[in-house]
Amino acid sequence: LNAEDIAEIKKTWAIPVATPTDSGAAILIRFFTKYPSNLEKFPFRDVPVAELNNSARFRAHCGRIIKTFDQSISQLGEEGGLEKIQDIWQGIASSHVQRHNIPKPSYFELREAIVEVLSEACNLNERQAEAWNKLLDIVYDIIFKKYDDLGAQ
Ligand code: HEM
């Protein structure tokens, strides 16, 4: 990521992070609507998608996803930031293998929902979409390397 990528990511991120739970909810509802099998992995699997916003456990998870991105984005451009970003996403990969049993393809499905919702919410131009895709490539690289280390698929 170059300085311009980082500036574009930070500038556009200000919009979804202002309402973190609602932004996370928009992403997850898109994710479950397009790829319903992912909902089966969650404790709120029996809640119909239209009612998810009333589930406290769902809302908590929405906030956590946004917080993970926020912690990473605040490290961009900082000294030692890349190591911290690595720690954050290796931790996500480990818990998602060991506790949640999430297979790699689910991440591609989630990525689609993230990019779609961000593009709409932030009205991303081409340059901004490119910066976000670079960040997601970095994050997904960290996740999948950890999956490989753990022998997970
Ligand atoms: C839990 C973040 C991708 C399913 C969590 C937690 C965080 C988190 C912070 C709670 C702490 C923990 O258990 O580690 C993220 C981020 C993701 C991601 C930042 C990638 C961008 C996914 C995907 C799935 C998934 C693709 C697939 C269905 C779950 C489940 C839980 C969980 C089932 C447990 C929820 C609960 O017990 O209420 N996630 N996650 N996550 N995640 Fe993810």
Side-chain angles (χ1 to χ4, degrees):
L1 292 179
N2 59 36
E4 194 193 334
D5 292 319
I6 294 174
E8 293 292 5
I9 290 167
K10 291 196 181 204
K11 187 171 99 185
T12 49
W13 181 241
I15 299 162
V17 82
T19 52
T21 310
D22 287 343
S23 305
I27 290 169
L28 284 176
I29 286 174
R30 182 79 55 108
F31 178 49
F32 297 144
T33 304
K34 286 185 96 169
Y35 302 106
S37 65
N38 291 294
L39 184 55
E40 297 303 315
K41 302 279 183 187
F42 285 89
F44 41 78
R45 65 179 67 84
D46 295 326
V47 180
V49 171
E51 286 162 34
L52 276 177
N53 265 318
N54 306 321
S55 156
R57 190 124 194 211
F58 171 74
R59 304 278 300 167
H61 187 257
C62 296
R64 286 192 197 109
I65 289 206
I66 297 299
K67 193 167 169 206
T68 305
F69 274 96
D70 194 47
Q71 286 169 337
S72 307
I73 289 165
S74 64
Q75 288 300 329
L76 295 177
E78 297 294 321
E79 174 113 15
L82 224 52
E83 286 75 22
K84 295 213 177 91
I85 289 172
Q86 245 181 2
D87 287 349
I88 291 169
W89 291 94
Q90 286 179 349
I92 292 287
S94 299
S95 74
H96 285 65
V97 169
Q98 290 160 351
R99 297 212 305 269
H100 311 312
N101 193 25
I102 306 303
K104 278 184 184 175
S106 288
Y107 291 89
F108 294 114
E109 296 169 353
L110 180 60
R111 181 173 178 150
E112 253 183 66
I114 293 172
V115 171
E116 282 181 18
V117 168
L118 276 181
S119 302
E120 292 165 14
C122 310
N123 214 342
L124 296 182
N125 63 33
E126 225 168 281
R127 181 65 193 83
Q128 292 166 335
E130 181 190 277
W132 272 99
N133 272 305
K134 280 198 205 176
L135 175 64
L136 288 164
D137 284 344
I138 292 170
V139 161
Y140 273 49
D141 228 55
I142 300 169
I143 294 174
F144 291 155
K145 279 210 177 81
K146 188 71 185 179
Y147 264 64
D148 293 344
D149 288 348
L150 294 169
Q153 320 217 311

